[in-house]
Amino acid sequence: MAKHLFLTALLLGSSLANAAQSSPATNNQTDADEGFTAPLQSLTFIPGLDNFVAASNSAMDVYDPLETWNRGVYQFNYRLDQWVMLPAVRGYTYVTPKFARTGVSNFFSNLGDLPSLGNSLLQLKGERAMRTTARLLFNTILGVAGIWDPATAMGLPKEREDFGQTLGYYGVPAGAYLVLPVYGPSNLRDTSGLVVDTLGEQSANFLNVAEESKRHFEISLLRAIDTRYTTPYRYGQLNTPFEYSRVRYLYTEVRKLQIAE
């Protein structure tokens, strides 16, 4: 279903991008890199599509009262990614063998299974909690602290749960859309969840990583680079002036699916 949602959004975004070439924006809040704030408002050049435009505008609507701030942060993240993060990833890829990069990714992924386990328990997802527990045991013991990932080969794929999903599971609304510096798309509920998950991981101090990270900044730096290395998204890859709106919509819909599963 998520795949169908993503394809639908891409098709809709492509149509909007083509329409933008034929119709000027009426909204004063524009951005040279990502386009107009509400492009659907100006699609009046094709007769008889008023109902379609109104329905599309409603379907793509996301509560974003902080849009001016969010767009500024989005641009900051874009520049940071281009000038700092991606060059760091390229350097990391150049000097680090693939097997070592895989081991680093597995290690940090194994750490992430701990908050997933806690949130599965909070959501009363017993089977998922047992699978995540098995993953932790197999990868930590057999996989030498998670450097290898035998659990996936044994039919136990990674299942992510975070405290933002837990809050959503119990009916807490998403609140306003929010773009976080460095982290990217979020909302008020998920930002609160991120804080709780981070504090929980530090308190658990699994494999003594949290404590060692305080004394060795390079661990946190490596984790940040690995996170960007394993994240396939690239700013501008959607090739549309409506990237901000599309990312905002896709993030919101994906989170709904994650909470519902």
Side-chain angles (χ1 to χ4, degrees):
M1 182 176 181
K3 180 179 179 181
H4 294 163
L5 172 65
F6 183 73
L7 291 175
T8 301
L10 286 180
L11 290 173
L12 178 58
S14 298
S15 300
L16 295 179
N18 292 332
Q21 297 177 358
S22 304
S23 175
T26 59
N27 194 300
N28 290 328
Q29 185 182 5
T30 63
D31 190 287
D33 290 318
E34 60 199 24
F36 312 116
T37 301
L40 290 172
Q41 293 179 357
S42 62
L43 296 182
T44 59
F45 61 97
I46 302 179
L49 287 185
D50 291 344
N51 292 335
F52 168 77
V53 171
S56 299
N57 197 23
S58 176
M60 293 284 287
D61 186 41
V62 174
Y63 182 52
D64 189 7
L66 302 173
E67 185 168 353
T68 301
W69 160 265
N70 286 335
R71 283 179 177 269
V73 176
Y74 191 88
Q75 284 298 308
F76 168 79
N77 288 345
Y78 169 64
R79 301 305 178 193
L80 180 69
D81 199 53
Q82 295 298 309
W83 297 342
V84 179
M85 296 306 299
L86 290 183
V89 167
R90 287 192 290 269
Y92 172 66
T93 303
Y94 181 77
V95 302
T96 309
K98 183 175 177 56
F99 75 89
R101 299 196 303 270
T102 300
V104 169
S105 298
N106 288 340
F107 177 79
F108 288 124
S109 177
N110 189 52
L111 294 181
D113 277 340
L114 191 64
S116 291
L117 172 59
N119 284 292
S120 294
L121 292 172
L122 289 174
Q123 296 175 45
L124 306 179
K125 296 179 178 179
E127 291 186 8
R128 177 165 295 192
M130 287 189 290
R131 290 194 297 267
T132 303
T133 300
R135 272 189 61 87
L136 271 169
L137 291 174
F138 290 140
N139 285 347
T140 301
I141 299 173
L142 301 180
V144 189
I147 295 176
W148 289 281
D149 182 15
T152 297
M154 298 169 68
L156 294 167
K158 188 176 184 66
E159 297 176 283
R160 301 180 185 273
E161 296 286 346
D162 56 65
F163 197 69
Q165 290 173 250
T166 299
L167 293 175
Y169 177 82
Y170 287 105
V172 177
Y177 180 73
L178 186 63
V179 180
L180 299 176
V182 183
Y183 287 94
S186 186
N187 53 51
L188 292 180
R189 180 194 62 211
D190 292 345
T191 300
S192 301
L194 176 63
V195 172
V196 171
D197 284 335
T198 301
L199 293 176
E201 183 176 316
Q202 292 177 349
S203 299
N205 195 28
F206 185 52
L207 299 178
N208 203 36
V209 172
E211 187 64 30
E212 288 299 317
S213 296
K214 295 177 182 178
R215 294 188 291 176
H216 299 281
F217 174 74
E218 58 271 21
I219 296 177
S220 299
L221 180 62
L222 178 61
R223 189 170 189 176
I225 294 174
D226 174 71
T227 299
R228 191 64 188 96
Y229 169 71
T230 56
T231 301
Y233 177 76
R234 295 292 184 269
Y235 287 93
Q237 74 177 29
L238 300 181
N239 194 27
T240 170
F242 309 101
E243 183 171 280
Y244 172 86
S245 299
R246 290 174 62 181
V247 170
R248 177 181 63 184
Y249 175 73
L250 287 171
Y251 174 82
T252 302
E253 294 303 309
V254 166
R255 289 300 285 173
K256 291 178 182 177
L257 292 174
Q258 289 174 338
I259 291 170
E261 70 176 357

